[in-house]
Short mmCIF file of all heavy atoms in Angstrom, two decimals:
data_model
loop_
_atom_site.label_atom_id
_atom_site.label_comp_id
_atom_site.label_asym_id
_atom_site.label_seq_id
_atom_site.Cartn_x
_atom_site.Cartn_y
_atom_site.Cartn_z
N ARG A 60 70.03 -134.03 98.00
CA ARG A 60 71.39 -134.28 98.79
C ARG A 60 72.52 -133.63 98.07
O ARG A 60 73.39 -133.13 98.68
CB ARG A 60 71.34 -135.90 98.77
CG ARG A 60 72.79 -136.31 99.44
CD ARG A 60 72.97 -137.85 99.29
NE ARG A 60 71.99 -138.50 100.10
CZ ARG A 60 72.09 -138.78 101.34
NH1 ARG A 60 73.29 -138.35 102.02
NH2 ARG A 60 71.18 -139.35 102.06
N ASP A 296 81.89 -139.18 102.59
CA ASP A 296 81.42 -139.14 103.94
C ASP A 296 79.94 -138.64 104.08
O ASP A 296 79.75 -137.67 104.69
CB ASP A 296 82.35 -138.26 104.80
CG ASP A 296 82.09 -138.29 106.31
OD1 ASP A 296 81.23 -139.16 106.69
OD2 ASP A 296 82.63 -137.56 107.08
N PRO A 297 78.99 -139.48 103.54
CA PRO A 297 77.61 -138.97 103.48
C PRO A 297 77.06 -138.71 104.86
O PRO A 297 76.16 -137.91 104.97
CB PRO A 297 76.88 -140.01 102.77
CG PRO A 297 77.78 -141.29 102.80
CD PRO A 297 79.07 -140.75 102.95
N GLY A 298 77.47 -139.37 105.83
CA GLY A 298 77.01 -139.17 107.18
C GLY A 298 77.20 -137.76 107.70
O GLY A 298 76.42 -137.28 108.49
N GLN A 299 78.28 -137.18 107.21
CA GLN A 299 78.52 -135.82 107.55
C GLN A 299 77.46 -134.84 107.15
O GLN A 299 76.94 -134.09 107.86
CB GLN A 299 79.86 -135.34 107.06
CG GLN A 299 80.44 -134.12 107.67
CD GLN A 299 81.71 -133.60 106.94
OE1 GLN A 299 82.47 -134.40 106.43
NE2 GLN A 299 82.04 -132.38 107.08
N VAL A 300 77.14 -135.02 105.88
CA VAL A 300 76.15 -134.10 105.22
C VAL A 300 74.72 -134.36 106.09
O VAL A 300 74.04 -133.40 106.31
CB VAL A 300 75.89 -134.36 103.73
CG1 VAL A 300 74.93 -133.46 103.16
CG2 VAL A 300 77.30 -134.23 102.96
N GLU A 301 74.46 -135.63 106.23
CA GLU A 301 73.25 -135.89 106.91
C GLU A 301 73.09 -135.28 108.15
O GLU A 301 72.10 -134.73 108.66
CB GLU A 301 73.07 -137.47 107.14
CG GLU A 301 71.97 -138.05 106.39
CD GLU A 301 72.19 -139.56 106.10
OE1 GLU A 301 72.20 -140.24 107.15
OE2 GLU A 301 72.14 -139.97 105.02
N GLY A 302 74.20 -135.28 109.03
CA GLY A 302 74.22 -134.78 110.33
C GLY A 302 73.95 -133.23 110.33
O GLY A 302 73.36 -132.72 111.12
N VAL A 303 74.73 -132.65 109.35
CA VAL A 303 74.50 -131.15 109.12
C VAL A 303 73.03 -130.76 108.98
O VAL A 303 72.53 -129.92 109.43
CB VAL A 303 75.43 -130.65 107.94
CG1 VAL A 303 75.08 -129.22 107.60
CG2 VAL A 303 76.90 -130.76 108.24
N LEU A 304 72.45 -131.55 108.02
CA LEU A 304 71.00 -131.30 107.66
C LEU A 304 70.11 -131.52 108.99
O LEU A 304 69.16 -130.82 109.19
CB LEU A 304 70.54 -132.10 106.51
CG LEU A 304 71.25 -131.77 105.16
CD1 LEU A 304 70.83 -132.72 104.16
CD2 LEU A 304 71.08 -130.34 104.84
N ARG A 305 70.39 -132.55 109.70
CA ARG A 305 69.53 -132.85 110.86
C ARG A 305 69.63 -131.73 111.80
O ARG A 305 68.72 -131.24 112.23
CB ARG A 305 70.03 -134.17 111.43
CG ARG A 305 69.05 -134.62 112.57
CD ARG A 305 69.52 -135.83 113.17
NE ARG A 305 71.00 -135.86 113.57
CZ ARG A 305 71.96 -136.57 113.21
NH1 ARG A 305 71.69 -137.62 112.41
NH2 ARG A 305 73.10 -136.40 113.58
N ASP A 306 70.86 -131.30 112.13
CA ASP A 306 71.11 -130.20 113.13
C ASP A 306 70.50 -128.84 112.67
O ASP A 306 69.87 -128.09 113.22
CB ASP A 306 72.60 -129.95 113.44
CG ASP A 306 73.26 -131.14 114.11
OD1 ASP A 306 72.44 -132.11 114.57
OD2 ASP A 306 74.40 -131.25 114.16
#
Side-chain angles (χ1 to χ4, degrees):
R60 177 186 292 277
D296 186 7
Q299 191 185 339
V300 179
E301 244 159 60
V303 168
L304 294 178
R305 190 183 49 238
D306 295 350

